[in-house]
Amino acid sequence: MTAIPNLGAILSPGADPDRTVLWDYAAGDPPRAWSAGELDGLASGLARGLLKRGLKRGDSIAVLAANRTEFVALYFGAMRAGIVVVPVNWKLAAETVALIVEDAEAKLIFVDEDRARLAPAGVPRILFGSADWEALPDPGAFEPITPEPDEPAQILYTSGSTGRPKGVPLSHRGQHWMVQVVSKGDNSQHRLIVAAPMYHMNALFNLKFAFLNRAQVILQPVFTAESYVKAIVDHQATWLTCVPTMMAMVANHLGDGPRPAEFDGVTRLFMGSSPYSQALVDRVRALFPNARITNGYGTTEAGAAVYGPHPDGIPTPDEALGYPIPEGETRLVARDGSVVDGVGEGILQMRNPATMRGYRHMPEKTAAALRDGGWYHSGDVVRRDENGFHYFVGREDDMFVCGGENIWPAEVERLLESHPAISQAVVVPVPDDVKQKLPVAFVTLREGESLSEEAVKQWTIERGPAYQHPRHVFFVPAIPLAGTNKIDRNGLTRQAAELAAARNSSRT
């Protein structure tokens, strides 16, 4: 039986330990450059230090911090020792953070100065940069443990925006498969920016991808459009990964001014975690004319290796998720549970080595998410076209009924964003006594543009079903994001109900 690779060993000095593998902007600007040997040595020292402190294989540690080299080294070092890493979303309330730390049974919490206040009492903590942190590494070589088939390497928690966060244990075997299966060809020449938070699959996946492929990482503590653009220019980045909102913010930041010449060097651009419109693709393509733009679909529960290019070389349409990769399994399921064959629409289910075995301490949630035979029920409604490409339609729980008609917010958002003056749009429902629910839109405009609410409504009425048009349009300077840099739909839904109620009462 082939030994299961340790996920922490993906970070390796290789044949050239002096090569730069990471630039850390948490250390300031200019950033601190780290060689492969330095980073590997720190990771091994931390593996030894954690065991010397009394932690053992199978124990878990929580990390409550913005992106920084110490977080990266701790992440890979702990996994080498068989210690389970639990990156915690620091945008959650302290009470929710405490629930996560308790559920994960974390023996130790690592924090940075800005987020230390969120750490629950009663669990030992170490502050990055403190004397305790400096004393933790035990320098020396370390032989990574050989994981068992389903041994967890990390536990990621869902956002918890609609209830108690769900812990998703993810194995060494599954996560290594996920990174390896998408590593095609020689990628060592690439320079990737990691600006998504390290409590999110996006950032962790890209770190592992970069180190496995001997590429270089430009690590930013948090995302801002200004710092992101500067990093692309200063490091001549070639590979970008982001959520669509991040790229919309970059486009808005640059406005109508000239784009930096260094943008021509970007050859790969992945936008994922939420749907995007053709209008945004056109804006991004104008900024990065030499980049191959890919829709990076993935879930915490079933990984990020789901779609790829068409096996017959058919070009992937801009708004398609891609074509299912042969190494994994996908199927579309109708609401009655039957499998949808050929052209059609259904809820995406996935099964592959990266699929979780269940939520932590939540058997009922697990039973609802994992269907017969270990298929993960994503809740994402997907359409398959005649060439086998998949397209995101909407979340199963985002769809709402207006006067007997089904409304998918993503469809209305794409229509709104086709307007030349609109940068970004989010559609949410508000209660209505007659129609049950009505669509309401939050809209941001491109720099220098102006638009009336009536013009927005008319645009949708003329180009789509009348029942889809937003009954209220609220113009905002920016779309708020939740903890994972995804759109905060729950917060906007609450805000829409308040604003619509206030507007309606003022009319009576």
Side-chain angles (χ1 to χ4, degrees):
M1 180 179 175
T2 304
I4 295 169
N6 185 297
L7 202 58
I10 281 180
L11 170 61
S12 167
D16 183 12
D18 294 328
R19 76 185 192 282
T20 298
V21 293
L22 186 144
W23 287 279
D24 180 13
Y25 274 90
D29 190 0
R32 157 78 150 93
W34 285 77
S35 71
E38 285 179 302
L39 195 55
D40 175 74
L42 180 56
S44 287
L46 288 168
R48 292 165 57 98
L50 289 169
L51 295 178
K52 189 174 181 180
R53 187 183 169 94
L55 277 81
K56 61 184 184 299
R57 180 174 179 172
D59 285 344
S60 63
I61 59 171
V63 187
L64 196 60
N67 300 350
R68 57 192 297 155
T69 300
E70 295 87 346
F71 191 166
V72 175
L74 179 65
Y75 175 72
F76 286 93
M79 291 191 297
R80 292 178 182 185
I83 294 169
V84 182
V85 186
V86 186
V88 182
N89 182 346
W90 39 263
K91 292 188 178 181
L92 297 174
E95 295 79 7
T96 307
V97 170
L99 286 174
I100 291 173
V101 172
E102 179 184 13
D103 184 76
E105 301 177 71
K107 300 293 192 294
L108 188 60
I109 306 175
F110 290 84
V111 299
D112 61 18
E113 190 170 350
D114 290 342
R115 293 152 190 88
R117 59 182 175 77
L118 293 171
V123 181
R125 73 178 72 177
I126 291 180
L127 177 69
F128 285 126
S130 68
D132 287 341
W133 167 259
E134 297 298 334
L136 180 62
D138 179 24
F142 186 83
E143 182 66 28
I145 62 104
T146 301
E148 295 297 323
D150 291 326
E151 184 169 352
Q154 61 190 28
I155 303 173
L156 299 185
Y157 279 79
T158 58
S159 65
S161 58
T162 57
R164 184 186 178 97
K166 300 186 291 289
V168 185
L170 299 169
S171 69
H172 287 264
R173 180 178 69 95
Q175 294 298 291
H176 196 282
W177 171 88
M178 179 181 71
V179 179
Q180 193 169 44
V181 80
V182 299
S183 297
K184 310 289 188 183
D186 181 8
N187 294 299
S188 61
Q189 77 280 11
H190 282 294
R191 292 176 293 281
L192 291 73
I193 297 182
V194 173
M198 284 179 61
Y199 56 72
H200 190 264
M201 174 75 80
N202 179 290
L204 297 176
F205 172 81
N206 282 292
L207 284 169
K208 292 190 282 282
F209 176 88
F211 294 148
L212 182 66
N213 287 274
R214 298 173 58 81
Q216 297 172 314
V217 172
I218 304 148
L219 186 68
Q220 296 190 299
V222 294
F223 170 82
T224 68
E226 182 178 6
S227 63
Y228 196 78
V229 169
K230 186 176 187 299
I232 296 172
V233 171
D234 289 353
H235 297 275
Q236 298 182 16
T238 61
W239 190 301
L240 307 180
T241 65
C242 59
V243 298
T245 302
M246 292 165 65
M247 199 49 60
M249 292 169 69
V250 167
N252 290 345
H253 169 71
L254 293 171
D256 295 327
R259 62 181 179 83
E262 291 80 0
F263 280 20
D264 286 352
V266 175
T267 58
R268 296 299 307 275
L269 197 156
F270 289 84
M271 291 193 292
S273 299
S274 61
Y276 53 75
S277 66
Q278 183 63 49
L280 179 59
V281 173
D282 293 341
R283 294 182 74 189
V284 171
R285 184 166 286 132
L287 290 173
F288 304 99
N290 298 322
R292 178 154 65 93
I293 301 171
T294 303
N295 197 327
Y297 178 86
T299 64
T300 302
E301 291 88 345
V306 183
Y307 295 108
H310 196 283
D312 296 332
I314 301 173
T316 303
D318 283 342
E319 294 186 51
L321 299 172
Y323 190 94
I325 62 172
E327 296 88 348
E329 296 177 89
T330 63
R331 67 183 185 185
L332 304 185
V333 178
R335 292 185 181 275
D336 62 4
S338 61
V339 176
V340 178
D341 293 320
V343 175
E345 185 178 289
I347 299 164
L348 176 65
Q349 294 185 350
M350 295 163 282
R351 185 170 63 182
N352 60 54
T355 304
M356 69 168 185
R357 295 296 180 264
Y359 294 115
R360 187 173 171 85
H361 302 147
M362 289 186 171
E364 292 183 0
K365 296 285 188 183
T366 296
L370 290 179
R371 305 300 169 90
D372 58 298
W375 289 91
Y376 171 62
H377 187 82
S378 70
D380 290 330
V381 180
V382 168
R383 174 175 60 86
R384 183 194 295 115
D385 73 8
E386 64 278 4
N387 291 317
F389 289 113
H390 286 194
Y391 299 76
F392 180 82
V393 176
R395 285 287 302 166
E396 184 181 15
D397 49 7
D398 280 348
M399 189 272 289
F400 59 92
V401 177
C402 173
E405 301 286 355
N406 293 344
I407 293 182
W408 295 100
E411 291 183 356
V412 189
E413 289 161 5
R414 283 192 286 268
L415 179 57
L416 288 166
E417 290 176 3
S418 68
H419 192 291
I422 293 177
S423 173
Q424 197 172 8
V426 179
V427 173
V428 296
V430 295
D432 182 73
D433 293 338
V434 177
K435 301 281 190 179
Q436 291 183 291
K437 293 183 178 179
L438 296 174
V440 167
F442 289 88
V443 169
T444 63
L445 299 179
R446 298 194 186 191
E447 186 176 354
E449 298 286 353
S450 62
L451 203 60
S452 69
E453 180 176 11
E454 187 57 36
V456 174
K457 292 180 180 180
Q458 199 60 35
W459 179 268
T460 57
I461 290 172
E462 291 175 355
R463 291 165 176 78
Y467 62 80
Q468 283 190 347
H469 88 274
R471 305 313 196 268
H472 299 282
V473 179
F474 301 109
F475 296 97
V476 293
I479 298 297
L481 304 181
T484 54
N485 282 344
K486 295 182 182 180
I487 293 167
D488 185 5
R489 289 188 180 274
N490 293 308
L492 286 174
T493 299
R494 291 190 296 270
Q495 185 180 354
E498 295 170 0
L499 292 172
R503 182 179 285 183
N504 291 336
S505 65
S506 69
R507 292 172 178 171
T508 59

